[in-house]
């Protein structure tokens, strides 16, 4: 049964217009979390560099200075890329995240992510990403560690 599913998986993806990404590039992007920015009346902003092939790997650093004791995170991600559309102009991705959050102390974070990027030119894209992370930075403030969902907008260029 597993062999049949493994055989059918690429066929099902192609039938839906989805393909595993075949091209390779690097991207530089800027991200923001508009919900957090609005809620806290500040600007959550970050920068990322990413290798994007069949598998993507990304490293990013973000800052949200309006929070108590500030907030800086360094997070990496790794996962699978799929594409669709003429000239692969839509990218879908999903993977895992791991990083650290610096507030009054440095604490670990880990989670999952999924996103979609749309090419707006040969070298530029805009995208949406969601993540669901276990946050261990709350213990310092006598709050329980917990899972946090976030949503991001990213704008970038590939080279």
């Amino acid at each position: 049964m597993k062999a049949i599913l493994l055989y059918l998986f690429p066929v099902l993806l192609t039938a839906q217009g989805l393909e595993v990404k075949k091209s390779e590039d690097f991207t530089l992007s800027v991200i923001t979390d508009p919900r957090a920015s609005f809620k806290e009346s500040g600007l959550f902003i970050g920068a990322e560099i990413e290798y994007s092939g069949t598998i993507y790997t990304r490293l990013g650093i973000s800052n949200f200075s309006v929070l108590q004791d500030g907030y800086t995170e360094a997070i990496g991600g790794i996962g699978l890329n799929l594409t669709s559309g003429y000239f692969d102009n839509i990218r879908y991705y999903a993977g895992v995240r791991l990083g650290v959050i610096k507030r009054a102390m440095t604490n670990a974070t880990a989670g999952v992510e999924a996103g979609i990027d749309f090419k707006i030119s040969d070298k530029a894209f805009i995208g949406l990403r969601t993540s669901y992370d276990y946050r261990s930075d709350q213990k310092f403030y006598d709050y329980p560690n917990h899972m946090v969902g976030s949503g991001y907008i990213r704008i970038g260029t590939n080279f």
Side-chain angles (χ1 to χ4, degrees):
M1 181 66 172
K2 288 182 183 178
I4 293 171
L5 289 176
L6 288 174
Y7 174 74
L8 288 176
F9 185 70
V11 174
L12 292 172
L13 287 178
T14 304
Q16 300 302 315
L18 292 173
E19 295 181 343
V20 174
K21 186 175 183 210
K22 295 179 178 96
S23 62
E24 297 179 342
D25 54 15
F26 285 89
T27 67
L28 291 174
S29 59
V30 174
I31 65 166
T32 188
D33 181 338
R35 182 180 161 272
S37 296
F38 180 77
K39 180 180 170 187
E40 300 294 336
S41 300
L43 180 62
F44 178 97
I45 188 95
E48 300 176 331
I49 185 165
E50 177 181 59
Y51 162 77
S52 180
T54 301
I55 301 292
Y56 72 88
T57 58
R58 178 181 48 255
L59 180 60
I61 189 160
S62 302
N63 186 272
F64 198 22
S65 60
V66 299
L67 295 182
Q68 178 184 345
D69 296 321
Y71 177 96
T72 301
E73 67 179 20
I75 294 186
I78 185 168
L80 178 67
N81 282 314
L82 301 174
T83 60
S84 71
Y86 291 112
F87 308 109
D88 295 334
N89 59 353
I90 302 173
R91 172 187 167 223
Y92 311 88
Y93 60 95
V96 296
R97 298 162 43 96
L98 185 62
V100 294
I101 297 169
K102 172 78 170 102
R103 288 182 88 171
M105 299 170 48
T106 302
N107 297 280
T109 185
V112 294
E113 67 181 9
I116 185 169
D117 291 341
F118 301 93
K119 282 186 182 178
I120 52 178
S121 74
D122 285 343
K123 295 289 182 187
F125 66 88
I126 188 166
L128 300 172
R129 178 189 312 143
T130 187
S131 68
Y132 194 59
D133 299 317
Y134 179 77
R135 297 268 305 272
S136 65
D137 62 322
Q138 300 297 307
K139 191 173 186 176
F140 180 80
Y141 303 100
D142 293 326
Y143 298 124
N145 294 336
H146 60 282
M147 299 295 289
V148 175
S150 299
Y152 305 93
I153 296 174
R154 51 185 251 146
I155 299 171
T157 185
N158 60 327
F159 54 96

